[in-house]
Amino acid sequence: MKNYVKFFGGALAAVSCACLFGACAEAVREGERDFSAYTLSDVVMTQKGVNTYDFEFSADCAGENAKVYFTENDRIKNGDTPVEVESKESGGLVRYSFTRDLQLSEEYYLWVVGGDKEVMLPVTAPSMFPAMETRLAGGAIFHFNYTAGVSWSSFCDPDGKAVYAGDNDVFDETAAVVEEGIAITSGNTIIPAAKFDGAKYYYSVTTAKNGLLTIISSPVTLSEEVFGKFTDISATLDGASLKVSVKTEGISEKLQLVVKSGAGDEIYSVNPEWKNGGATFKFDCTLLLKNDLWYDLALAYKGAIVCDVPKTFNGKDIVGNYFSTVEGIDYCLTEWKPDGAPDEEYALKLYFKHNLTRYADEFCSGYLVTLDDSLTLTVRAELKDGVRPPVLALTGGDEVKLVSAEGVADGNGYVYSLDISSALTNEGQWYDIRFFFGDVYAELLKDSCISYGDFSKTYISGEKKVTFCEWNGILKITFTV
């Protein structure tokens, strides 16, 4: 039997859940079985990972052959099987324990069933990602980080939030309250310098169901201390798979990648493959449900958020490939930071979209782009059989042709010569280079059509400094003065 933890703020009341949730026995009608309810007490959920919880509770079924069920429905179906539990009888009660991976922000039902007695307790799996950071004024800020995917009142009494601190990375008898009576609407709480000890582990402790249920978070330490143990981070899109690799010093387990929507109604946790002191996470992007939604990418240690996956680490871009297309769907990495924040705070986001874009590779067997200081854009294209020659045009983010040119046939295809000097009017704007096949336009892919030297060169014409650029693999052009 594993050690269980009682809520140290006082004994939790034993409650008959059948009465609490509307299953109180009424007068038995003829033909119905005589029904009475078990009583549950001291129910504890302890977070062991982003979506992994230990459950412990007591029931007054000592000496009876009762079974425990944990279901996603408010009734037990024929296909449901009892949970494998550890149990121990003491003082007329049975103390049960088991571990489950849960879909966060969902409601589950805990049952004890035996003979003519049963009890059921609805349990909401909170999507919480606790984190903590130091304050310039001293002490720390503890972030509860409940997402918006579920009402807090479903797993928290009105003043049922508290922060505890303990000596160990498991919630045990050393844990003592630091702040309590925190309002349900508070997203964080300040731990003053006089109460803060950076050597301790901190926990969100939440009571629910009028004190019947206690929810204990993963152990939280200062995010910057854990982040400081990372020595390298890299990320890349490989087809429909996102790969994130982290090298660490002093961390060898309990690290996870978290992919989640801002509303908290989609949360995925990814366990790593460890090799040579490094962790590699592989996430199947086809699991994402919402088109064009930016998903957060974060690293969690022992279930607590350490950091968003940064765009840069130790001064270098961590991304090997920002963009891939699989079966008509684009998978993309992009970057975001709060307004006014320094560039070092750029974090990566992940999204997908249905690919309605046409690419020049679909129509051309080969094409080459060059530019000179007179700002004449030259494109040589070899068209696939049956393809009519397109028009080359420069556009400014829509389908309006700012300047355009017809191709001139030569022995190997068509040559386009386009003076773009008059079209470059807005400094810093990214202009599109496109082939127009009638009403259909096709993007030019940078890796298919331009050398590294030409792409990285600066072309100077008068006061304009013109450079090529790339967005999701597509060739663009811009200028500064």
Side-chain angles (χ1 to χ4, degrees), residues 243-305:
K243 295 183 180 180
V244 177
S245 296
V246 181
K247 291 184 178 180
T248 71
E249 291 180 350
I251 298 177
S252 59
E253 58 182 8
K254 299 180 180 177
L255 193 65
Q256 291 176 297
L257 174 69
V258 182
V259 181
K260 64 184 180 72
S261 64
D265 52 357
E266 279 187 80
I267 301 170
Y268 310 91
S269 59
V270 186
N271 293 320
E273 300 172 3
W274 287 94
K275 186 177 180 180
N276 298 327
T280 298
F281 305 90
K282 297 179 182 178
F283 175 70
D284 181 1
C285 297
T286 63
L287 296 173
L288 302 178
L289 299 178
K290 296 177 182 176
N291 184 63
D292 265 340
L293 178 71
W294 285 16
Y295 288 83
D296 300 329
L297 300 176
L299 293 169
Y301 182 57
K302 297 183 179 179
I305 293 294

Side-chain angles (χ1 to χ4, degrees), residues 46-48 166-172 174 199-203 217-221 253-254 301-302:
T46 303
Q47 187 182 29
K48 293 297 182 180
D167 296 334
N168 302 309
D169 63 354
V170 293
F171 192 88
D172 58 16
T174 68
K200 289 186 178 291
Y201 295 88
Y202 288 78
Y203 299 85
S217 77
S218 297
V220 182
T221 56
E253 58 182 8
K254 299 180 180 177
Y301 182 57
K302 297 183 179 179

Side-chain angles (χ1 to χ4, degrees), residues 86-104:
E86 296 182 35
S87 63
K88 182 179 181 180
E89 293 189 26
S90 176
L93 299 176
V94 179
R95 186 70 179 173
Y96 294 99
S97 64
F98 64 93
T99 300
R100 272 295 176 91
D101 287 339
L102 308 178
Q103 295 296 318
L104 301 182

Side-chain angles (χ1 to χ4, degrees), residues 3 24 31 65 67 87 136 216 316 335 371 393 420 443 471:
N3 292 330
C24 283
N65 188 25
K67 296 179 180 179
S87 63
L136 293 177
I216 303 171
K316 68 180 182 69
E335 60 196 48
L371 183 67
I420 64 173
E443 307 284 7
W471 180 82

